[in-house]
Amino acid sequence: MNAANPTISAVPGSRPSGVYLHVPHCRRRCPYCDFAIEVGASTDGFVEAVAAELDLRAGEVRWPVATLSLGGGTPSQLPVAALAHLVSLVRQRGLASDAEVALEVNPEDIDGDYARALVDAGFTRVSVGLQSFDEDVLRYLGRAHDRRRGLDAVDLLVRTGLHVGVDLIVGVPGEGDDRLADDVATARDLGVGHLSTYILTLEADTPLVQLIKRGARAAIDDDHQADAYERVVDLTTAAGFAQYEISSHARAGRTSRHNRLYWQRGDYLGLGPGAHSFRVDDDGFALRRHTTARLQPWREALLAGRDAEHDDEVLDHDHAFREAVAFGLRDLGAGVVLERLAALHHAVKLDDVTRALRAAVTRDDVMVNEEGGLQTWRLTARGARFADRVARDVLGT
Ligand code: SF4
């Protein structure tokens, strides 16, 4: 194996590019959440600041982009006219005719008019921050919606023809076996095409830590969480959703192109406070940028014609290559071809990574197949549970 092998193209086809736009506004902070968000902050000037940021930084990504994704925070805290304006700003720069245009919404923000207006604004896909249909689970998580509101929001969105996915948080203390089965079956019956399943994690300094200490919430149980992860994979598979990433399950044709872009080493321009950006330059170095998560200074700088405060990180060839492999393994369908990623990052030392993967094969965490004369490495079902360990071995940390 040699990165200089002239028969191996650095880029399988053309590498995709996308735009991520972080909308930090939330109605309130959910007790388990440690994201970069703003509660109760004015949205005045947000769209104008994004327009200014796009003007300043458009040269950091290849146009047209294949995907546009609005995440948060809660993008649906913005009026739909503002969302439409944001889509049009990106479209003016170059959005592929078949682009995936996605956003995250919360159920309490959705009514029939809002749902229909999302289609008119050019969105093709929506991800609902549902977490569960179960009242007890929603109460534990401190969510702003109840089962009825969740059902109505998902139903309204599906009826518009948008591709609808829902997020589910699993491993919540007190949840019974029926809860997961009901959530998956209800989502399927409503016409949902994509499920993102996240294990509840206790992040430091979140209100949930204090609530558990005070006895106001039950403590998280690691064994229950491991069982819940396995169970949700079984349930989603039985319901016709294929697991194509550690936390992602989709019906045919409903995988998230934007999320796959992250795992398959695409370039993306991150706009908004707290957004990350990533690209690979012609020399194979990976460039990552972290924009300040503080809304006010971000907005003030951009409205004054200056770039917002940010940190830049440059990954050398070896580090960038190892990271590409660790990320790529998350894509259970595509897996990774070491030679392609090595060529992309001009990496010449494959031995350590190959050794780590071979050790993972002996543990049954990774499998390797010969495809088109090249070896493709993928996590096994067991490896998907221990993906962090495999990633650490690949990264050499
Ligand atoms: S709505 Fe989402 S981003 Fe906002 S606080 Fe709750 S979990 Fe965090």
Side-chain angles (χ1 to χ4, degrees), residues 96-128:
S97 55
D98 64 343
E100 177 183 279
V101 184
L103 89 163
E104 296 172 359
V105 302
N106 274 351
E108 62 272 19
D109 298 328
I110 301 303
D111 60 21
D113 288 345
Y114 200 97
R116 281 186 294 277
L118 290 176
V119 179
D120 295 339
F123 289 96
T124 62
R125 182 181 184 96
V126 61
S127 172
V128 185

Side-chain angles (χ1 to χ4, degrees), residues 26 28-30 32-33 35 37 72-74 106 143:
C26 281
R28 63 191 200 192
R29 183 175 282 279
C30 303
Y32 56 89
C33 177
F35 291 172
I37 63 156
T74 314
N106 274 351
R143 298 294 300 192

Side-chain angles (χ1 to χ4, degrees), residues 57 64 217 252 313 325 338:
R57 300 183 52 216
R217 292 284 196 285
E313 188 185 0
V325 176
L338 295 186

Side-chain angles (χ1 to χ4, degrees), residues 351-374:
D351 292 356
D352 289 350
V353 170
T354 306
R355 223 180 346 263
L357 290 177
R358 291 217 177 282
V361 169
T362 63
R363 292 196 307 266
D364 191 30
D365 286 345
V366 167
M367 57 187 164
V368 56
N369 296 102
E370 198 80 19
E371 292 168 19
L374 294 168

Side-chain angles (χ1 to χ4, degrees), residues 338-360:
L338 295 186
E339 291 84 348
R340 288 208 176 110
L341 295 175
L344 175 65
H345 289 300
H346 303 206
V348 289
K349 291 184 295 185
L350 306 193
D351 292 356
D352 289 350
V353 170
T354 306
R355 223 180 346 263
L357 290 177
R358 291 217 177 282

